[in-house]
Amino acid sequence: MQIGMIGLGRMGADMVRRLIQGEHDCIVYDLDIHAVETLEQEGCTGARSLEEFCAQLTTPRVVWLMVPAAVVDSTLKSLVPLLSANDVIIDGGNSHYHDDIRRAGELQAAGIHYLDVGTSGGIFGRGRGYCLMIGGEQEVVERVDPVFTTLAPGIGTATRTPGREHGKGTAEQGYLHCGPSGAGHFVKMVHNGIEYGLMAAYAEGVNILRHAGAGKESRAADAETTPLRNPEYYQYELNLADITEVWRRGSVITSWLLDLTATALLDNPDLKDFQGRVSDSGEGRWTIAAAIDEGVPANVLSAAVYERFSSRGNADFANRLLSAMRYQFGGHREHR
Amino acid sequence: MQIGMIGLGRMGADMVRRLIQGEHDCIVYDLDIHAVETLEQEGCTGARSLEEFCAQLTTPRVVWLMVPAAVVDSTLKSLVPLLSANDVIIDGGNSHYHDDIRRAGELQAAGIHYLDVGTSGGIFGRGRGYCLMIGGEQEVVERVDPVFTTLAPGIGTATRTPGREHGKGTAEQGYLHCGPSGAGHFVKMVHNGIEYGLMAAYAEGVNILRHAGAGKESRAADAETTPLRNPEYYQYELNLADITEVWRRGSVITSWLLDLTATALLDNPDLKDFQGRVSDSGEGRWTIAAAIDEGVPANVLSAAVYERFSSRGNADFANRLLSAMRYQFGGHREHR
Amino acid sequence: MQIGMIGLGRMGADMVRRLIQGEHDCIVYDLDIHAVETLEQEGCTGARSLEEFCAQLTTPRVVWLMVPAAVVDSTLKSLVPLLSANDVIIDGGNSHYHDDIRRAGELQAAGIHYLDVGTSGGIFGRGRGYCLMIGGEQEVVERVDPVFTTLAPGIGTATRTPGREHGKGTAEQGYLHCGPSGAGHFVKMVHNGIEYGLMAAYAEGVNILRHAGAGKESRAADAETTPLRNPEYYQYELNLADITEVWRRGSVITSWLLDLTATALLDNPDLKDFQGRVSDSGEGRWTIAAAIDEGVPANVLSAAVYERFSSRGNADFANRLLSAMRYQFGGHREHR
Amino acid sequence: MQIGMIGLGRMGADMVRRLIQGEHDCIVYDLDIHAVETLEQEGCTGARSLEEFCAQLTTPRVVWLMVPAAVVDSTLKSLVPLLSANDVIIDGGNSHYHDDIRRAGELQAAGIHYLDVGTSGGIFGRGRGYCLMIGGEQEVVERVDPVFTTLAPGIGTATRTPGREHGKGTAEQGYLHCGPSGAGHFVKMVHNGIEYGLMAAYAEGVNILRHAGAGKESRAADAETTPLRNPEYYQYELNLADITEVWRRGSVITSWLLDLTATALLDNPDLKDFQGRVSDSGEGRWTIAAAIDEGVPANVLSAAVYERFSSRGNADFANRLLSAMRYQFGGHREHR
């Protein structure tokens, strides 16, 4: 079917490529003319302006936005006046689901439909397929079904869950209509919250392995520092690339993130290419905010988010205050 | 090769079956005579006593223990006098690695070798293979290599890590000599610590999805309870079986534990078969103890362990004290 | 000076009593006629309706609201039409500071001033004084200064901070203009976030003391449960009332919350009067939300809030899912 | 009474001064001759060697050790051969309570008594008194009672807990016999665990106040970074010295640590004198280890310990691994 894509960054361009391969007719637009030209050479119709883009699409149009969450609203402001009743806008980026609920309501007045689609897959999605979590009206989701089918990985990419033999629905294809507006990004938000938690579990565990030789270092014996009571138990030098590799087969903790971890540690055993200032793109935070609103505990997911904040130096004032208190009550000076 | 197995519970019996299939010659012993008889019918040589067991094994013997960690030492006490110099004992259970270091030292005096083998795989290991993490002397590990090769999953069970094409070593087979005595169980301990963290990340995330309809419940407006500020954002009824299924393909959080989660939620969407009193078998705790000794933070792994403690009611006195303090300063009575 | 008080619950009534004692002229109103009558007998002017209440106050009026956060907006809806330009409304309850910013803006159009006053002190405030954290316009804060001076504890209630000898400002009196609208409740919110953290620190610590005899209990030795490795170290029966009492003098952890803890444990050593379902009144959650917005870690404060959620059973589905996963991979049944 | 003190560092010397003031007869020894001479000038009898020290003490001797935990055993090795049956050794430092249990057992063979005394008070203890938590034999504790009475703050230093009017025991004096050997340091250990938790609660809360102007900073809008959704709510510039001061009177969170925090922030509002590398002296870690052994959750206390580990860079490898994973799946480069 015909689909328009706005936003040809890493994710958007690769999704277009997967759609072309699935024999869809793609009209593409980006502020960066080079990105448009590149995809023209791969078989798309490129547009030089939003006006041209909308003119090239047959009504009722289907427009997929793959732009940073921060510019979705400004994009809509320019785009919507060029659309017609019954057109469909899909936000496939990382919008906050509150914005989805608001936008769907605002667009309804103009007769325009809005789907929110949480998209997971990263740079591997082009080959591996994208996991799609969708919110919005049922009949609109069905209208776009051919596109979802192509973008999703398909049933063959995992073994069948026992009991699914007679199943229906699309979950096994790798895409799912989760509920009304916002439900797609809500589910994607929690997906990313879990992702942060999983990553932190591996990172903490590997860090414990990394320090398994702590007993070889001597520690000063003074009133400030506790000696390691049992240095004989921390004398190992472990090969982290081999250990993460061995876990990839037969263990309880096999996962795609473990596969990537094993790759990263084989490439770069000391991870010297990284500083350890870890970004967070919002969904982890929003997951915590949802947990708090719902009144459910999220110790692990919160800790994962906070570790990223700390990695960027945001605990510094708190830490200085701890040292200041220790100085006040005990005259303790910081070790340097 | 010939190998003796002591302990024919769920894990031990299945490992023997995998070894028989690999054409090894298995001598088996268990206090439960029925367990022995069952395996005799499947092609093993069964022993009625430890004496008989040791007599049936050709020296230098290789004896694999697959018994609860709590009875390893008492088993060794009975077993060791029946062994000879140069025999090998393998502890494949969940021993604390401190015990491995101690035992290897004690057995050395008698010329007996000791390997500690952390074994992951659970009830699926018979078919899927076991991930084996091994500690002990290099030459002894090599002696037992045929057994490890059979028990491990083999290279074909996962895609190859980029850069491993010209690799050597056994990690890709699913077993690894990690280091000297204790290293196997140390690595397995951290593996389980990570496992707890991963499980908790999924459980917390799914719980947030489960409560996504919190805005539908009314909350009393009094000085004790905060009203949900934005109930319109918590109106979803999400299908957890479908959501965990959709995540299995193409998403960043695919894993074996997710596969199991999707199975569990399909079987039993409300999980009514479970009370939520979650056991812990020690390794999670020991991982935290190691992190503390090493001085490395483990917020996520600790939170995962503590959630299990809380699930069993071990925070109750602390919670009662919180209510007691609130009553003291604010006259607040508990809601019931 | 003259002041009107709406809301004569535990906090509001005691604040009126402290104001009467300070020779202020108090007009009081509450939906509960008995509460009004009680204070009339103690020297206030009572009103039977909001209309009467407003008529009794001299313009420019000063009206203090001490009502549940959930009913502030509905109270304002009835009250504001009865007020005049230049009147002052003070919200002394537990409003979210976002609401303060909104309300101050809305009331500005009618020429009415709005102060947000976070109030700490609980049921002891009448005698001990209230700690007041104030947001709003400087000149309006100054207009109400006599009331703040009376409600606050006064400088004599704590030893002087070194360096404050030549200080100015009101912080040492126990009240403070923290900043523009919302700043009072923002600071009070964080105050309560800290309060939750402090309470949790004591509760966790006392719980560890409570279980110091854990080595006396026997634990089953099976593959599910780890035996306590060193029961000889957990043979204590500690007197918690005496321990919290001894900490009240000379230790680093003396505090008012510790005083209350010692009282609670002396009264009720096993805390049998409490179930351990701990309420939270909102500020702890909002503190976490602020930390997330700001991108600063709050591991301790979050854990304190989550412990309360868990104490009320909100982790149950997550825990059942953990048991379900364990059953899936290991065939583990829950202990009962 | 006569008492010998070994270890004249900050704590030991001040304790001697408090004992002199209480008219006890103090024999003192330290490897640092200057420390001995200083106290000789203040009225003590100084010793130049352990032999001289023991000779100067009348039997049965009472010897108080105030040395780093790491050198207690080596000190005992030199000291014990110079002592006689029925002498008393008191360890007033920060020993692990496991060591107390071992030492008490070892010394029993020689007829020497051992008390473990957890001592809190820091550099203010000389004036404020020391909170003493004592483990060992009842009759030996009673023998040393005059010393404990002098070192402790005394009943007048806090208001009386309701219900204590007819109380007996010494808890109100500020010292307590907690139980058999190790109980003193066990209680002191948990005291310090709580101390870490309290400090972290204040530090996290103050850090949230410190960042209350986060909405004034602009954040880049790209796919990596989430924009702050509501910058209008983070426009405050708060005076942290005044806020911590106002909390000192009438609020629920008054405490001695808050007093110190207010002092530190008045001195040094930006805390530029500190780097934020926070030491930990062992008890916090041991408290966590005890919680794990007992199977009770300690989320807050653990988080407090882990923040210190992170402040010293011990999460760095974990953080680099998180960035490495993000690079693997998303091509994300670290922001610098």
Side-chain angles (χ1 to χ4, degrees):
Chain A
M1 64 180 281
Q2 191 198 50
I3 182 159
M5 176 71 73
I6 297 175
L8 306 175
R10 203 161 38 199
M11 288 286 283
D14 275 354
M15 291 171 77
V16 168
R17 290 184 180 106
R18 193 166 168 100
L19 288 166
I20 296 171
Q21 207 163 13
E23 305 199 347
H24 296 280
D25 173 19
C26 299
I27 319 295
V28 301
Y29 175 68
D30 195 287
L31 290 175
D32 174 4
I33 183 75
H34 296 297
V36 176
E37 288 170 354
T38 301
L39 283 173
E40 282 178 332
Q41 288 159 16
E42 302 183 29
C44 298
T45 305
R48 265 46 182 177
S49 68
L50 274 183
E51 288 74 10
E52 194 185 337
F53 175 81
C54 291
Q56 286 163 336
L57 287 162
T58 314
T59 56
R61 299 175 185 88
V62 178
V63 179
W64 189 299
L65 302 185
M66 209 68 204
V67 299
V71 302
V72 170
D73 280 315
S74 60
T75 305
L76 288 178
K77 204 170 168 185
S78 308
L79 175 67
V80 169
L82 307 171
L83 298 184
S84 317
N86 209 21
D87 286 357
V88 178
I89 297 174
I90 298 165
D91 179 6
N94 284 326
S95 286
H96 195 298
Y97 79 100
H98 292 188
D99 292 328
D100 295 321
I101 294 174
R102 173 179 52 77
R103 287 175 197 145
E106 289 168 359
L107 292 170
Q108 200 174 22
I112 296 172
H113 305 287
Y114 178 91
L115 300 181
D116 53 282
V117 180
T119 306
S120 182
I123 54 178
F124 290 80
R126 184 182 169 188
R128 200 174 171 245
Y130 299 92
C131 178
L132 303 175
M133 296 148 264
I134 308 164
E137 298 156 275
Q138 176 70 28
E139 58 276 19
V140 181
V141 174
E142 285 168 10
R143 207 198 292 177
V144 190
D145 187 83
V147 164
F148 296 142
T149 301
T150 299
L151 288 174
I155 191 168
T157 54
T159 57
R160 202 141 200 186
T161 295
R164 284 267 169 198
E165 297 76 14
H166 311 292
K168 43 187 175 1
T170 63
E172 289 185 290
Q173 303 297 331
Y175 69 99
L176 181 69
H177 180 210
C178 298
S181 283
H185 277 136
F186 186 90
V187 173
K188 173 57 161 47
M189 170 188 85
V190 175
H191 165 282
N192 282 34
I194 293 171
E195 173 192 313
Y196 284 31
L198 302 178
M199 288 172 71
Y202 288 116
E204 287 184 4
V206 171
N207 198 28
I208 294 169
L209 297 177
R210 168 86 171 180
H211 288 79
K216 296 180 176 180
E217 304 155 22
S218 59
R219 289 197 206 168
D222 59 33
E224 289 290 287
T225 315
T226 185
L228 180 55
R229 291 178 63 76
N230 38 18
E232 69 276 20
Y233 292 138
Y234 298 96
Q235 298 289 334
Y236 300 118
E237 288 185 55
L238 300 171
N239 182 322
L240 304 181
D242 274 358
I243 289 170
T244 49
E245 183 67 35
V246 81
W247 288 343
R248 295 182 64 229
R249 291 175 182 82
S251 92
V252 171
I253 64 172
T254 56
S255 74
W256 191 55
L257 284 165
L258 178 64
D259 296 346
L260 301 179
T261 301
T263 303
L265 288 166
L266 184 67
D267 279 3
N268 195 351
D270 293 313
L271 300 175
K272 287 192 181 149
D273 296 355
F274 300 93
Q275 270 195 307
R277 294 180 68 84
V278 194
S279 293
D280 76 283
S281 58
E283 294 88 351
R285 304 179 181 204
W286 307 336
T287 301
I288 308 313
I292 290 169
D293 279 344
E294 297 179 4
V296 302
N299 285 292
V300 162
L301 305 189
S302 300
V305 171
Y306 293 150
E307 287 177 0
R308 295 190 179 198
F309 293 169
S310 292
S311 80
R312 304 199 302 261
N314 296 358
D316 284 1
F317 193 79
N319 291 332
R320 295 209 302 276
L321 185 54
L322 292 175
S323 283
M325 286 190 220
R326 297 186 81 242
Y327 178 70
Q328 287 289 331
F329 69 69
H332 305 291
R333 301 255 171 216
E334 288 186 335
H335 281 224
R336 308 230 163 196
Chain B
M1 62 181 281
Q2 191 198 51
I3 181 160
M5 176 72 72
I6 297 175
L8 305 174
R10 204 161 37 201
M11 287 287 283
D14 275 355
M15 291 171 78
V16 167
R17 290 185 181 105
R18 195 169 167 96
L19 287 167
I20 297 170
Q21 207 163 15
E23 307 199 345
H24 295 281
D25 174 19
C26 299
I27 319 295
V28 301
Y29 175 68
D30 194 287
L31 291 175
D32 174 4
I33 182 77
H34 296 296
V36 176
E37 287 169 355
T38 301
L39 284 173
E40 281 178 332
Q41 287 159 19
E42 301 183 30
C44 297
T45 305
R48 266 46 182 177
S49 67
L50 274 183
E51 288 73 11
E52 193 183 339
F53 174 82
C54 290
Q56 286 164 335
L57 286 162
T58 315
T59 57
R61 300 175 185 90
V62 178
V63 179
W64 189 297
L65 302 185
M66 209 67 204
V67 299
V71 302
V72 170
D73 281 314
S74 60
T75 305
L76 288 178
K77 204 170 168 186
S78 309
L79 175 67
V80 169
L82 308 171
L83 298 184
S84 319
N86 209 21
D87 286 356
V88 177
I89 297 175
I90 298 166
D91 179 6
N94 284 326
S95 286
H96 194 299
Y97 78 100
H98 293 189
D99 291 329
D100 296 321
I101 294 174
R102 172 179 52 77
R103 288 175 197 145
E106 290 167 359
L107 292 169
Q108 200 173 20
I112 296 173
H113 304 286
Y114 178 89
L115 299 182
D116 52 284
V117 179
T119 307
S120 182
I123 55 179
F124 289 81
R126 183 184 168 187
R128 199 175 172 245
Y130 299 92
C131 178
L132 304 173
M133 295 147 265
I134 308 163
E137 298 155 277
Q138 177 69 30
E139 59 277 17
V140 181
V141 174
E142 284 167 11
R143 206 199 294 178
V144 190
D145 188 83
V147 164
F148 296 142
T149 300
T150 298
L151 288 173
I155 190 166
T157 55
T159 57
R160 201 139 201 187
T161 296
R164 283 268 170 198
E165 297 75 13
H166 310 293
K168 43 190 174 2
T170 65
E172 289 185 290
Q173 303 297 332
Y175 69 99
L176 181 68
H177 180 212
C178 298
S181 283
H185 277 136
F186 187 91
V187 172
K188 173 58 161 47
M189 169 188 85
V190 174
H191 165 281
N192 281 34
I194 293 172
E195 173 192 313
Y196 284 31
L198 301 178
M199 289 173 70
Y202 287 116
E204 287 185 3
V206 171
N207 198 29
I208 294 169
L209 297 176
R210 168 85 171 181
H211 288 80
K216 296 180 176 181
E217 305 155 21
S218 59
R219 288 197 206 168
D222 60 31
E224 288 291 287
T225 317
T226 185
L228 179 56
R229 291 177 64 76
N230 39 18
E232 69 276 20
Y233 293 138
Y234 297 96
Q235 299 289 332
Y236 300 117
E237 289 186 53
L238 300 171
N239 182 321
L240 303 182
D242 274 359
I243 289 171
T244 49
E245 182 67 35
V246 81
W247 287 344
R248 296 183 62 230
R249 291 175 182 83
S251 91
V252 171
I253 64 172
T254 55
S255 72
W256 191 56
L257 284 164
L258 178 64
D259 296 346
L260 301 178
T261 301
T263 301
L265 288 165
L266 184 66
D267 278 3
N268 195 351
D270 293 313
L271 300 175
K272 287 192 180 149
D273 296 355
F274 299 93
Q275 271 195 307
R277 293 180 68 84
V278 193
S279 293
D280 77 281
S281 58
E283 293 88 350
R285 304 179 182 206
W286 306 336
T287 302
I288 309 312
I292 289 169
D293 279 345
E294 296 179 5
V296 302
N299 285 291
V300 162
L301 305 188
S302 300
V305 171
Y306 294 150
E307 287 177 0
R308 296 189 177 195
F309 292 170
S310 291
S311 80
R312 304 200 303 259
N314 296 358
D316 284 2
F317 193 78
N319 291 332
R320 295 208 303 276
L321 184 54
L322 292 175
S323 284
M325 286 191 221
R326 295 186 83 242
Y327 178 70
Q328 288 289 331
F329 69 71
H332 304 291
R333 300 254 172 219
E334 286 185 338
H335 281 225
R336 310 229 162 195
Chain C
M1 62 180 283
Q2 191 198 50
I3 182 160
M5 176 71 73
I6 297 176
L8 306 174
R10 204 160 38 200
M11 286 287 284
D14 275 355
M15 291 171 78
V16 167
R17 290 184 180 105
R18 193 167 168 98
L19 287 167
I20 296 170
Q21 208 164 12
E23 307 200 344
H24 295 280
D25 174 18
C26 298
I27 320 295
V28 301
Y29 174 69
D30 194 287
L31 291 175
D32 174 4
I33 183 74
H34 296 297
V36 175
E37 287 169 355
T38 300
L39 283 173
E40 281 177 333
Q41 287 159 16
E42 301 183 29
C44 297
T45 304
R48 266 43 183 180
S49 69
L50 274 184
E51 288 74 10
E52 196 185 335
F53 175 81
C54 290
Q56 286 164 335
L57 286 162
T58 314
T59 58
R61 300 174 184 89
V62 177
V63 178
W64 189 297
L65 301 184
M66 210 66 204
V67 299
V71 302
V72 170
D73 280 315
S74 60
T75 305
L76 288 179
K77 204 169 169 187
S78 307
L79 175 67
V80 168
L82 307 171
L83 299 183
S84 317
N86 209 22
D87 286 357
V88 178
I89 298 174
I90 298 166
D91 178 7
N94 284 325
S95 286
H96 195 297
Y97 79 99
H98 293 189
D99 292 328
D100 296 320
I101 294 174
R102 172 180 52 77
R103 288 175 196 144
E106 289 168 359
L107 292 170
Q108 198 175 22
I112 296 172
H113 304 287
Y114 177 91
L115 300 182
D116 52 284
V117 179
T119 306
S120 183
I123 55 179
F124 289 80
R126 184 183 168 187
R128 197 177 173 245
Y130 298 93
C131 177
L132 303 174
M133 296 147 263
I134 308 163
E137 299 155 276
Q138 176 71 26
E139 58 276 18
V140 181
V141 175
E142 285 167 10
R143 207 198 292 176
V144 191
D145 187 83
V147 164
F148 295 141
T149 300
T150 299
L151 288 174
I155 191 168
T157 54
T159 57
R160 202 139 200 188
T161 296
R164 283 268 170 200
E165 298 75 13
H166 311 292
K168 42 189 175 4
T170 64
E172 288 185 291
Q173 303 297 330
Y175 69 99
L176 180 69
H177 180 211
C178 298
S181 283
H185 278 135
F186 186 90
V187 172
K188 173 57 163 43
M189 169 187 87
V190 175
H191 164 282
N192 282 34
I194 293 172
E195 172 192 314
Y196 284 31
L198 302 179
M199 289 173 70
Y202 287 116
E204 288 184 2
V206 171
N207 198 29
I208 294 169
L209 297 177
R210 167 86 172 182
H211 288 80
K216 296 179 175 181
E217 305 155 21
S218 60
R219 289 198 207 167
D222 60 32
E224 288 290 287
T225 316
T226 183
L228 179 56
R229 292 177 64 76
N230 37 18
E232 68 276 20
Y233 293 138
Y234 298 95
Q235 299 289 333
Y236 300 119
E237 287 186 55
L238 300 172
N239 183 320
L240 303 182
D242 274 358
I243 289 171
T244 49
E245 183 67 35
V246 81
W247 286 344
R248 295 183 63 228
R249 291 175 182 83
S251 92
V252 171
I253 64 171
T254 57
S255 73
W256 191 55
L257 284 164
L258 178 63
D259 296 347
L260 301 177
T261 301
T263 302
L265 288 166
L266 184 66
D267 279 2
N268 196 351
D270 291 314
L271 299 176
K272 288 194 179 148
D273 296 354
F274 300 92
Q275 270 196 305
R277 294 180 67 83
V278 193
S279 293
D280 77 283
S281 58
E283 293 89 350
R285 302 179 183 206
W286 306 336
T287 302
I288 308 312
I292 289 169
D293 279 344
E294 296 179 4
V296 302
N299 285 292
V300 162
L301 305 188
S302 300
V305 171
Y306 293 149
E307 286 177 1
R308 296 190 177 196
F309 293 169
S310 291
S311 80
R312 303 200 304 260
N314 297 358
D316 285 1
F317 192 79
N319 291 333
R320 295 209 301 277
L321 184 54
L322 293 175
S323 284
M325 285 190 223
R326 295 186 83 242
Y327 178 69
Q328 288 289 331
F329 69 70
H332 305 291
R333 301 256 172 215
E334 287 185 336
H335 282 225
R336 310 233 161 193
Chain D
M1 65 181 280
Q2 190 198 53
I3 181 160
M5 175 72 71
I6 297 175
L8 306 175
R10 204 159 40 199
M11 288 287 284
D14 276 353
M15 292 171 78
V16 168
R17 291 185 179 106
R18 195 169 166 97
L19 287 167
I20 297 171
Q21 206 163 13
E23 306 198 346
H24 295 281
D25 174 19
C26 300
I27 319 294
V28 301
Y29 175 69
D30 195 286
L31 291 176
D32 174 5
I33 183 74
H34 295 296
V36 175
E37 287 170 352
T38 300
L39 284 173
E40 282 178 331
Q41 287 160 17
E42 301 183 29
C44 297
T45 305
R48 265 45 181 178
S49 67
L50 273 183
E51 288 73 11
E52 194 184 338
F53 174 81
C54 291
Q56 286 164 334
L57 286 161
T58 315
T59 56
R61 300 175 185 88
V62 177
V63 179
W64 190 297
L65 302 185
M66 209 68 203
V67 299
V71 302
V72 170
D73 280 316
S74 60
T75 305
L76 288 177
K77 205 170 168 186
S78 308
L79 175 67
V80 168
L82 307 172
L83 298 183
S84 319
N86 209 21
D87 287 355
V88 177
I89 297 175
I90 299 167
D91 178 7
N94 285 324
S95 285
H96 195 297
Y97 79 100
H98 293 189
D99 291 327
D100 296 321
I101 294 174
R102 172 180 51 77
R103 288 176 196 144
E106 290 168 358
L107 292 169
Q108 201 174 20
I112 296 173
H113 304 288
Y114 178 90
L115 300 181
D116 52 284
V117 179
T119 307
S120 182
I123 54 177
F124 289 80
R126 183 182 169 188
R128 200 176 171 243
Y130 299 91
C131 178
L132 303 175
M133 295 147 265
I134 308 164
E137 298 155 276
Q138 177 70 26
E139 59 276 18
V140 181
V141 174
E142 283 167 11
R143 205 197 296 177
V144 190
D145 188 83
V147 163
F148 296 141
T149 300
T150 298
L151 287 174
I155 191 167
T157 54
T159 58
R160 201 138 201 189
T161 295
R164 284 267 170 199
E165 297 76 13
H166 309 293
K168 42 187 179 353
T170 64
E172 290 186 290
Q173 304 297 331
Y175 68 99
L176 181 68
H177 180 210
C178 299
S181 284
H185 278 136
F186 187 89
V187 172
K188 172 59 162 45
M189 169 188 85
V190 174
H191 164 283
N192 281 34
I194 293 172
E195 171 192 315
Y196 284 31
L198 302 178
M199 289 173 70
Y202 287 116
E204 287 184 4
V206 171
N207 198 28
I208 293 170
L209 298 176
R210 167 85 172 182
H211 287 80
K216 295 179 176 181
E217 304 155 21
S218 60
R219 289 199 207 165
D222 60 31
E224 288 290 288
T225 317
T226 185
L228 179 56
R229 292 178 63 76
N230 39 17
E232 68 276 20
Y233 293 138
Y234 298 95
Q235 298 289 333
Y236 300 118
E237 288 185 54
L238 301 171
N239 182 321
L240 304 181
D242 275 359
I243 289 171
T244 48
E245 183 67 35
V246 81
W247 288 343
R248 295 183 62 229
R249 290 175 182 83
S251 91
V252 171
I253 63 172
T254 55
S255 73
W256 191 56
L257 283 165
L258 178 64
D259 296 346
L260 301 179
T261 301
T263 302
L265 287 166
L266 184 66
D267 281 2
N268 195 349
D270 293 313
L271 300 175
K272 288 192 179 149
D273 296 355
F274 300 93
Q275 270 195 308
R277 293 180 68 85
V278 192
S279 293
D280 76 282
S281 58
E283 292 89 350
R285 303 179 183 205
W286 306 336
T287 302
I288 308 312
I292 289 169
D293 279 345
E294 296 178 4
V296 302
N299 285 290
V300 162
L301 305 188
S302 300
V305 171
Y306 293 150
E307 287 177 0
R308 297 190 177 195
F309 293 170
S310 291
S311 81
R312 304 200 303 260
N314 296 359
D316 284 2
F317 193 78
N319 291 331
R320 294 208 304 275
L321 185 54
L322 292 175
S323 284
M325 285 191 222
R326 295 186 82 242
Y327 178 70
Q328 288 289 332
F329 69 70
H332 305 291
R333 300 255 171 215
E334 288 185 334
H335 280 225
R336 309 229 161 194

